[in-house]
């Protein structure tokens, strides 16, 4: 996957010295050491692989950063400007490149990002059965409880929700699933084909915002369950309320450290009051991304 965007010299270091399944992120910053998230621990990248010594680290140069973006665009930056405006590029294998640089805006709308000074290359991994230990807390006799999966960034939410989607879809429940994959990280859909395994009874809408995705998806696909990533604003919460009022079950994720963090967010005040979610699953990186810290019910009482 990475050979298509990285310079040969960098890719060969990774291939020779590292286990690809343990590489979660590569972070390149202009004139600073390249950092690798390897099994949820951070190291510098050196000519010999990983190191804790900054003086041995490979430095992220302007040429290196620009060349990666150029390769990711298939040598046509203009053709991916819609992605660039959103602040990231998603490749056909699910790899997402977060972009830092100078934002060019007009009338409060982002026109593009230029002069890139940082990249966060996130590498997706399928970890089959990682959600099996808690699946019976989410599904009971074919009924899917409204579930919110919580973790800090890089805590394994996307990997976890992908496996939940796969597990529910492949259990032969009489359920139609709709995956709203706003950033195309869960399904890694390319030319209509899902390159990640999300199950045989799952329909996918990629790149659409949640408001339109929920409304149009419910009307057009009549799902029993909607699965989506990263609830982040009031519009997302409104979309969830709309779906629940239509009788659709929801499995979603959000960025937060723990339940105390959720309770402190105004965004979730009404959600907690109305007890919209019947299950809260908290993940961490304690023993690697996707470590289950607890399962809680709508009253925030621990079940696991």
């Amino acid at each position: 996957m990475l050979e298509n965007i990285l310079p040969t010299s960098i890719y060969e270091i990774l291939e020779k010295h590292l286990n690809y399944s343990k590489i979660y992120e590569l972070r390149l910053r202009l004139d600073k050491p390249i950092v690798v998230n390897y099994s949820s621990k951070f190291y510098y990248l050196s000519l010999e692989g990983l190191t804790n010594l900054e003086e041995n680290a490979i430095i992220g140069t302007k040429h290196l950063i620009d060349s990666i973006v150029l390769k990711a665009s298939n040598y046509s930056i203009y053709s991916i400007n819609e992605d660039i405006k959103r602040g990231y590029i998603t490749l056909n294998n699910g790899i997402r490149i977060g972009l830092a640089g100078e934002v060019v805006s007009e009338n409060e709308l982002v026109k593009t990002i230029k002069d890139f000074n940082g990249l966060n290359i996130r590498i997706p991994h399928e970890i089959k059965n990682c959600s099996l230990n808690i699946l019976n807390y989410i599904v009971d006799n074919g009924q899917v409880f409204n579930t919110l999966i919580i973790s800090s960034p890089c805590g394994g939410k996307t990997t976890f929700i992908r496996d939940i989607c796969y597990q529910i879809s492949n259990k032969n429940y009489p359920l139609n699933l709709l995956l709203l994959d706003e950033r195309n990280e869960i399904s890694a859909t390319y030319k209509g084909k899902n390159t990640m395994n999300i199950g045989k009874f799952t329909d996918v809408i990629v790149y659409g915002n949640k408001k339109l995705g929920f409304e149009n998806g419910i009307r057009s696909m009549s799902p029993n369950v909607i699965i989506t990533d990263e609830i982040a604003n009031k519009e997302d919460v409104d979309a969830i309320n709309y779906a629940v009022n239509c009788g659709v079950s929801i499995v979603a994720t959000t960025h937060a450290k723990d339940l105390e963090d959720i309770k402190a967010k105004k965004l979730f005040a009404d959600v907690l009051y109305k007890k919209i979610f019947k299950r809260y699953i908290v993940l961490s990186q304690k023993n690697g991304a996707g470590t289950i810290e607890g399962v809680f019910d709508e009253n925030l009482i621990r079940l696991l």
Side-chain angles (χ1 to χ4, degrees), residues 15 21 23 26 38 56 110 125 143 159 164 201 206 215 257 260 285:
E15 187 178 49
S21 67
I23 305 173
L26 293 175
Y38 193 70
N56 293 339
V110 176
H125 297 290
Q143 173 64 42
T159 301
I164 288 174
F201 296 120
V206 295
E215 292 177 0
K257 182 180 179 181
E260 292 303 314
Q285 298 186 53

Side-chain angles (χ1 to χ4, degrees), residues 85-234:
K85 288 195 293 186
R86 289 192 290 260
Y88 57 87
I89 304 167
T90 304
L91 306 183
N92 59 22
N93 45 28
I95 290 175
R96 190 178 82 176
I97 305 175
L99 305 169
E102 181 181 340
V103 175
V104 179
S105 59
E106 184 177 287
N107 298 324
E108 299 185 354
L109 296 175
V110 176
K111 293 184 65 178
T112 192
I113 299 174
K114 65 176 186 177
D115 295 333
F116 305 109
N117 56 49
L119 305 178
N120 178 20
I121 304 174
R122 299 185 64 177
I123 298 111
H125 297 290
E126 285 186 307
I127 304 178
K128 288 291 174 56
N129 303 327
C130 66
S131 68
L132 276 183
N133 288 342
I134 54 83
L135 195 65
N136 61 324
Y137 291 98
I138 298 176
V139 187
D140 183 27
N141 291 323
Q143 173 64 42
V144 178
F145 296 118
N146 294 335
T147 300
L148 186 65
I149 300 165
I150 300 163
S151 86
S152 301
C154 301
K157 294 185 301 300
T158 301
T159 301
F160 205 77
I161 203 171
R162 183 188 298 118
D163 191 62
I164 288 174
C165 186
Y166 168 80
Q167 297 293 345
I168 294 174
S169 185
N170 278 30
K171 290 295 182 182
N172 291 318
Y173 299 125
L175 298 173
N176 293 309
L177 276 64
L178 176 62
L179 174 61
L180 296 182
D181 199 356
E182 192 169 355
R183 295 170 177 81
N184 199 17
E185 289 185 291
I186 305 170
S187 62
T189 297
Y190 181 64
K191 293 185 177 180
K193 183 177 181 180
N194 314 133
T195 60
M196 295 288 184
N197 194 338
I198 52 172
K200 57 190 176 184
F201 296 120
T202 304
D203 301 301
V204 184
I205 296 176
V206 295
Y207 296 127
N209 67 52
K210 291 183 178 64
K211 181 178 186 298
L212 293 177
F214 273 65
E215 292 177 0
N216 294 346
I218 289 172
R219 293 192 191 104
S220 61
M221 303 309 297
S222 300
N224 303 107
V225 183
I226 290 178
I227 295 178
T228 192
D229 214 357
E230 297 191 17
I231 301 302
N233 54 50
K234 186 178 183 301

Side-chain angles (χ1 to χ4, degrees), residues 146 240-241 244 270-278 280:
N146 294 335
I240 285 175
N241 274 306
V244 170
D270 195 52
V271 170
L272 291 168
Y273 177 75
K274 292 180 178 178
K275 300 182 181 180
I276 289 174
F277 290 106
K278 303 304 180 184
Y280 293 88

